[in-house]
């Protein structure tokens, strides 16, 4: 076991203190990023003449070997080492000898850990953006396949109006698009290279930070060494974007849970995403959707954890910051799983068209269409609302329906009514009559589907 410090210590740390403070159990996830950053750093040290070219090469070659092993999964992490940095450094020393001791020149773990975390976020969040696009594709394909389906839509979970199923599905696609843009936004802000800030003040050694940035693909270096080692905004922004994404998924999951109940029976969730009951043989439970709803709590908690961890923390680095890792890693993993599950959900979801058709055979879905009819004939909004309200009341009180009203029945409510108003009691007519941009009008929805197909590269 080797530590980066200790020469001035009168005795070693206690076993309990080690257990409490070691981060290798989780920061081993950063191994490849640590190696990548170190190769870039050693190369720069050589080019700037801070270490010899020969030593720089030796270090880089040794690190590359370690990197290979990590990639292949054959690298043996030593859980008696404090953290990922000392793990790699110790292994490097075993491989190349004392030249390894020069790797840590002009850097500190304080700037190195920020570099590792930024590289991790840049990679993982980009993967998440790609996976969101996969879910969007699956939704758009599912919408396209069911373009003829009209469903009841709800406010207050009470039947409201009819819409195309595709229209509701494209709402999900819009939500996910905003999630992608939030992640892009976070990615662009975190894309600055912190290494060379050292402990907190920079260094007197003639390093070239831009050289490291360029090798690692960062467009620029951080401008303030104090901020560089203190900043965890990028993790908070990532967790915030993931928490909002989770919120979206929990709402979609809730729609699926409701739609798949015996009472609604609009959709069948594939068996592969459901479980049974140990006591009630008839049950098919939407557990995966319920767990998505539940794990959203984890995503919120992880965001909160980082906000609490950093609140009133004095600049610059404090060891508390080590605890930023488990919440971030957990949220990234949970969201990755959720994205895979939602792609599978929409690739396999079945729509019960007949059930839905029977549900929308209900005049109350068309009251706003009747109001619009009157408004187009010059009746005020208020008056139209009253007229249609009275019609609904009479139907409910007397067990009647508007479709049975005669011409004179209609005239009792408003002289503006002609018999053609009854044509409005039809789901197809209702959606077609919508004209405003962003509405459920089938032509407009088809246009939106085509727009998404193009931008998401969906095979047509
Ligand atoms: N394991 C630490 C972390 O994750 C690395 C930095 C430690 N720096 C220090 N000065 N003790 O934050």
């Amino acid at each position: 076991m080797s530590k980066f410090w200790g020469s001035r210590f009168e005795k070693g740390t206690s076993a309990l203190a080690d257990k409490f403070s070691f981060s290798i159990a989780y920061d081993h996830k950063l191994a490849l990023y640590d190696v990548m950053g170190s190769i870039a750093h050693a190369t720069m040290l050589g080019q700037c003449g801070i270490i010899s070219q020969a030593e720089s090469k030796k270090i880089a070659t040794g690190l590359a070997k370690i990197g290979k092993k990590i990639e292949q999964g054959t690298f043996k992490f030593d859980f008696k080492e404090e953290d990922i940095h000392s793990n790699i450094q110790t292994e490097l020393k075993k491989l190349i000898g004392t030249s390894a001791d020069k790797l840590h020149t002009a850097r500190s773990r304080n700037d190195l850990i920020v570099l590792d975390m930024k590289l991790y976020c840049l990679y993982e969040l980009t993967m998440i953006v790609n996976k969101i696009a996969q879910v969007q594709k699956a939704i758009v394909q599912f919408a396209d396949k069911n373009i003829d389906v009209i469903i009841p839509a709800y406010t207050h979970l009470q039947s409201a109006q009819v819409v195309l199923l595709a229209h509701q599905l494209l709402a999900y696609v819009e939500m996910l698009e905003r999630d992608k843009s939030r992640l892009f936004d976070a990615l662009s802000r975190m894309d600055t290279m912190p290494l060379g800030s050292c402990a907190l003040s920079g260094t007197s050694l003639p390093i070239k930070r831009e050289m490291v940035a360029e090798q690692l693909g960062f467009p620029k270096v951080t401008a303030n060494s104090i901020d560089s080692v203190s900043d965890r905004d990028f993790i908070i922004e990532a967790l915030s974007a993931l928490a909002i994404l989770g919120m979206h998924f929990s709402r979609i999951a809730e729609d699926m849970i409701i739609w798949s109940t015996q009472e609604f029976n609009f959709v069948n969730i594939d068996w592969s995403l459901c479980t049974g009951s140990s006591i009630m043989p008839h049950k098919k439970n939407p557990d995966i959707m319920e767990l998505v709803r539940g794990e959203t709590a984890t995503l919120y908690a992880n965001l909160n954890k980082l906000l609490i961890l950093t609140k009133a923390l004095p600049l610059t680095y404090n060891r508390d910051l080590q605890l930023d890792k488990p919440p971030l890693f957990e949220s990234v993993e949970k969201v990755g799983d959720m994205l895979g599950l939602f792609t599978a959900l929409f690739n396999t979801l079945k729509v019960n068209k007949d059930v839905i058709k029977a549900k929308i055979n209900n005049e109350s879905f068309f009251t706003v269409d009747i109001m619009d009819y009157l408004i187009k004939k010059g009746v005020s909004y208020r008056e139209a609302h009253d007229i249609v309200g009275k019609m609904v009341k009479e139907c409910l009180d007397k067990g009647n329906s508007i479709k049975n009203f005669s011409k004179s029945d209609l005239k009792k409510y408003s002289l503006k009514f002609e018999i053609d108003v009854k044509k409005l009691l039809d789901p197809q007519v209702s959606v077609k009559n919508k004209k405003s941009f962003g509405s459920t009008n089938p032509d407009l929805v088809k246009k939106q589907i085509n727009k998404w197909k193009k931008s998401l590269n969906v095979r047509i």
Side-chain angles (χ1 to χ4, degrees):
M1 167 169 46
S2 69
K3 285 184 172 136
F4 280 120
W5 44 273
S7 55
R8 60 96 71 205
F9 268 60
E10 290 177 8
K11 60 178 183 177
T13 42
S14 76
L16 190 55
D18 283 353
K19 173 175 172 278
F20 195 64
S21 61
F22 281 19
S23 53
I24 186 63
Y26 44 89
D27 69 11
H28 65 85
K29 267 195 196 302
L30 300 172
L32 258 190
Y33 306 111
D34 203 77
V35 167
M36 278 165 58
S38 292
I39 292 177
H41 183 67
T43 308
M44 179 277 289
L45 290 176
Q47 285 180 6
C48 294
I50 299 169
I51 62 174
S52 74
Q53 286 285 2
E55 280 167 331
S56 162
K57 277 236 164 66
K58 212 166 158 187
I59 294 173
T61 314
L63 286 169
K65 274 188 196 149
I66 295 174
K68 257 263 144 54
K69 276 194 184 169
I70 295 167
E71 262 178 332
Q72 291 165 345
T74 54
F75 183 82
K76 293 249 172 314
F77 291 101
D78 182 353
F79 291 93
K80 286 194 210 75
E81 290 284 352
E82 192 176 359
D83 56 26
I84 187 58
H85 319 303
S86 56
N87 236 280
I88 305 273
Q89 183 108 355
T90 305
E91 187 62 22
L92 186 64
K93 198 160 177 176
K94 276 190 214 150
L95 270 180
I96 66 165
T98 49
S99 301
D101 290 339
K102 296 209 169 167
L103 172 61
H104 214 52
T105 312
R107 72 177 198 190
S108 142
R109 282 180 298 168
N110 298 354
D111 54 350
L112 181 55
I113 193 61
V114 179
L115 175 69
D116 289 3
M117 289 294 272
K118 282 191 171 180
L119 288 172
Y120 170 89
C121 284
L122 287 165
Y123 177 77
E124 291 294 343
L125 299 186
T126 306
M127 288 298 115
I128 287 176
V129 167
N130 291 340
K131 282 191 189 170
I132 296 175
Q134 295 307 316
V135 181
Q136 287 179 305
K137 270 187 195 186
I139 300 175
V140 170
Q141 270 162 340
F142 181 66
D144 200 22
K145 212 166 70 188
N146 293 289
I147 189 67
D148 56 326
V149 179
I150 299 176
I151 59 166
Y154 301 84
T155 62
H156 312 266
L157 208 52
Q158 302 288 328
S159 299
Q161 293 179 281
V162 293
V163 296
L164 289 190
L165 170 61
H167 192 49
Q168 171 128 358
L169 293 166
L170 291 189
Y172 303 157
V173 178
E174 295 282 349
M175 287 146 68
L176 294 173
E177 190 66 12
R178 289 195 297 277
D179 291 317
K180 285 197 314 199
S181 94
R182 257 184 290 276
L183 286 164
F184 279 132
D185 201 28
L187 280 166
S188 74
R189 230 186 325 277
M190 72 176 70
D191 209 3
T192 54
M193 206 292 296
L195 207 65
S197 302
C198 302
L200 81 161
S201 68
T203 176
S204 62
L205 294 166
I207 58 169
K208 289 214 170 82
R209 299 182 59 214
E210 287 76 10
M211 228 177 233
V212 177
E214 203 183 305
Q215 288 180 73
L216 295 172
F218 285 94
K220 54 183 183 201
V221 297
T222 53
N224 181 301
S225 60
I226 290 180
D227 180 47
S228 303
V229 297
S230 313
D231 171 30
R232 294 296 183 278
D233 295 7
F234 64 101
I235 300 176
I236 296 173
E237 285 193 43
L239 287 173
S240 161
L242 297 181
I244 297 172
L245 174 59
M247 178 271 288
H248 286 158
F249 274 149
S250 74
R251 296 184 74 174
I252 300 172
E254 185 63 12
D255 278 349
M256 295 306 134
I257 292 167
I258 294 171
W259 285 1
S260 66
T261 56
Q262 294 285 309
E263 289 70 16
F264 273 71
N265 198 21
F266 289 2
V267 294
N268 287 336
I269 299 175
D270 193 65
W271 294 102
S272 59
L273 300 170
C274 294
T275 72
S277 156
S278 61
I279 179 167
M280 297 167 283
H282 69 286
K283 292 295 289 293
K284 180 189 177 201
N285 296 326
D287 294 40
I288 299 301
M289 291 297 109
E290 293 171 88
L291 285 169
V292 164
R293 204 170 54 182
E295 291 288 14
T296 301
T298 310
L299 301 178
Y300 289 5
N302 286 339
L303 168 62
N304 266 318
K305 194 161 173 185
L306 252 286
L307 288 169
I308 296 164
L309 189 71
T310 46
K311 178 186 175 292
L313 200 64
L315 300 186
T316 60
Y317 180 82
N318 298 275
R319 191 65 180 268
D320 319 38
L321 292 175
Q322 175 168 298
L323 304 177
D324 59 2
K325 285 157 210 69
L328 177 68
F329 296 163
E330 185 180 42
S331 286
V332 164
E333 192 181 329
K334 293 284 178 213
V335 165
D337 289 350
M338 285 185 192
L339 289 161
L341 289 165
F342 273 98
T343 304
L345 173 87
F346 286 107
N347 280 338
T348 53
L349 195 65
K350 296 273 176 312
V351 181
N352 295 329
K353 293 188 183 183
D354 292 341
V355 177
I356 295 175
K357 205 168 174 183
K359 279 262 161 40
I360 53 175
N361 185 16
N362 175 347
E363 289 179 353
S364 61
F365 284 115
F366 312 109
T367 54
V368 179
D369 298 283
I370 303 173
M371 276 176 61
D372 285 353
Y373 171 95
L374 289 172
I375 289 167
K376 281 178 204 156
K377 291 191 174 245
V379 179
S380 76
Y381 159 78
R382 185 69 269 152
E383 201 186 336
H385 195 283
D386 283 352
I387 292 167
V388 180
K390 281 180 192 143
M391 291 164 79
V392 169
K393 184 170 182 336
E394 183 184 324
C395 287
L396 289 174
D397 290 350
K398 299 189 179 158
N400 200 357
S401 36
I402 297 172
K403 71 173 182 306
N404 296 330
F405 284 8
S406 66
K407 200 170 177 177
S408 62
D409 289 338
L410 287 167
K411 295 278 184 202
K412 264 195 327 205
Y413 290 100
S414 169
L415 292 173
K416 304 278 179 179
F417 274 135
E418 304 295 335
I419 203 75
D420 63 352
V421 70
K422 289 206 256 174
K423 287 197 193 119
L424 298 178
L425 310 172
D426 176 336
Q428 304 283 348
V429 175
S430 177
V431 290
K432 266 200 197 115
N433 273 349
K434 301 289 179 300
K435 294 280 178 277
S436 56
F437 180 75
S439 73
T440 194
N441 174 289
D443 291 335
L444 293 174
V445 172
K446 274 179 211 151
K447 265 193 196 151
Q448 289 289 321
I449 288 186
N450 287 335
K451 182 200 85 177
W452 285 115
K453 275 182 173 172
K454 248 195 215 140
S455 68
L456 294 166
N457 252 331
V458 177
R459 237 176 280 140
I460 310 175

